[in-house]
Amino acid sequence: MNSVFRGLLRHPSGRIGAFIVLAYILIAIAAWLGLTPYDPLQQFRIERLQGPSATHWMGTDMFGRDVLSRLMIGIGQSFFVAFLSVGIATVAGTILGLTAAWVGRLWDGFVMRLMDVLLAFPAILLALLFITVVGPGTSTSILAIAFVYTPIFTRVVRGPALSIKARDFVDAARTFGSSTSYILSRHLMLNLVAPLTVQITLALAWSLLTESGLSFLGLGTQPPDSSLGLMLSDSINLMEMAPWLLIFPGLTVMLGILGFNLLGDAMRDLLDPRMQRTVA
């Protein structure tokens, strides 16, 4: 772990990506602790649609609310949805992929054909279908994004698990009477940490984009709560009059996705043995 961390600091993309992600996490924590410049719901009616100034660094919105404060809350909300949804997808996909590879036969065929059907739909369309059935809201968007990305994790886990299952050390563990749970946890899972880590990092970028898209369409986080996509949606009719309402949330989404992508690329280079010599 220490070698990976040191390698991440030496990796150009890794340094930038880690800095962006860490900065966003710190901003989210500060927002949850109430360390925003103003109350995100406080309305300064006299200062409505005021541009960036020394009082309001990122201006105010149509209700006179401080954009910076709402942006900090929005980062926390969007990151909460992204991390939780990817966490659920990781657990569900890992269980399905491991059991499919280990059990094989009918169960493997059933699971993978089901994953193929889900992967045939565009991610945003499948999420919209899920929310249409269940209803809009933050919790629904978390489940929708997890539902969409579970097939990806299932495939990421199943392929390497099939290869590891056929290795000699797994046969030796069976010969010595090791239980199935022991083999799955100590032999298969430990060898799946690298591809899972890379996939989790990249999935966080996709889930952040998906959450912003759902909130933009009014199907994710609901007012008066704030999220990056909801702030973008509120700025549509005011783009010419108050461009800062679009610019700051848009740049925040872009930088967040860029940070996760750069971090994912660096983790792939560091954890892939074929790339380690090139990175060094």
Side-chain angles (χ1 to χ4, degrees):
M1 181 62 68
N2 290 334
S3 61
V4 173
F5 181 73
R6 289 194 298 268
L8 190 64
L9 294 180
R10 291 196 301 266
H11 197 288
S13 297
R15 285 197 303 269
I16 299 173
F19 174 79
I20 294 174
V21 172
L22 180 61
Y24 273 50
I25 292 175
L26 292 176
I27 291 172
I29 293 174
W32 285 333
L33 293 175
L35 301 179
T36 54
Y38 299 93
D39 183 343
L41 298 179
Q42 184 179 0
Q43 299 181 8
F44 300 91
R45 297 184 180 276
I46 301 179
E47 301 175 356
R48 287 184 298 174
L49 296 179
Q50 182 185 83
S53 63
T55 306
H56 301 282
W57 290 0
M58 293 186 179
T60 58
D61 63 9
M62 70 290 291
F63 298 110
R65 298 173 298 189
D66 183 65
V67 173
L68 176 58
S69 300
R70 292 187 60 77
L71 195 66
M72 293 174 66
I73 295 294
I75 290 174
Q77 180 73 8
S78 297
F79 266 51
F80 171 75
V81 172
F83 275 96
L84 189 55
S85 59
V86 170
I88 295 173
T90 301
V91 173
T94 299
I95 293 173
L96 289 173
L98 275 179
T99 56
W102 186 258
V103 177
R105 299 183 181 179
L106 291 177
W107 176 246
D108 183 31
F110 170 76
V111 170
M112 298 318 297
R113 296 300 75 77
L114 179 60
M115 298 301 108
D116 289 340
V117 171
L118 295 178
L119 287 171
F121 291 90
I124 189 67
L125 181 61
L126 192 59
L128 288 173
L129 177 63
F130 186 95
I131 292 178
T132 301
V133 174
V134 180
T138 301
S139 58
T140 306
S141 62
I142 292 173
L143 294 176
I145 296 172
F147 180 71
V148 167
Y149 292 117
T150 293
I152 299 175
F153 283 97
T154 303
R155 282 199 165 276
V156 167
V157 169
R158 176 184 174 269
L162 283 173
S163 176
I164 297 169
K165 176 186 174 183
R167 301 286 293 274
D168 292 338
F169 60 84
V170 175
D171 292 335
R174 285 173 170 172
T175 303
F176 284 109
S178 299
S179 64
T180 298
S181 60
Y182 179 86
I183 296 174
L184 290 176
S185 61
R186 295 299 298 272
H187 293 292
L188 270 69
M189 275 304 302
L190 287 180
N191 286 280
L192 292 171
V193 170
L196 270 178
T197 301
V198 175
Q199 186 59 46
I200 288 171
T201 310
L202 296 176
L204 285 169
W206 303 336
S207 61
L208 181 61
L209 180 61
T210 305
E211 190 280 333
S212 298
L214 292 174
S215 296
F216 179 83
L217 296 173
L219 300 174
T221 302
Q222 301 296 304
D225 294 331
S226 177
S227 78
L228 300 177
L230 195 58
M231 293 181 70
L232 286 171
S233 177
D234 291 340
S235 69
I236 289 299
N237 296 325
L238 299 168
M239 291 190 333
E240 295 184 3
M241 184 184 303
W244 59 87
L245 296 179
L246 176 67
I247 293 173
F248 291 122
L251 287 176
T252 302
V253 173
M254 184 200 72
L255 283 176
I257 295 172
L258 177 64
F260 281 124
N261 281 329
L262 291 176
L263 188 59
D265 289 342
M267 296 299 292
R268 180 200 60 200
D269 294 343
L270 293 171
L271 296 175
D272 189 344
R274 295 169 296 181
M275 301 292 294
Q276 287 179 359
R277 182 175 299 178
T278 304
V279 174

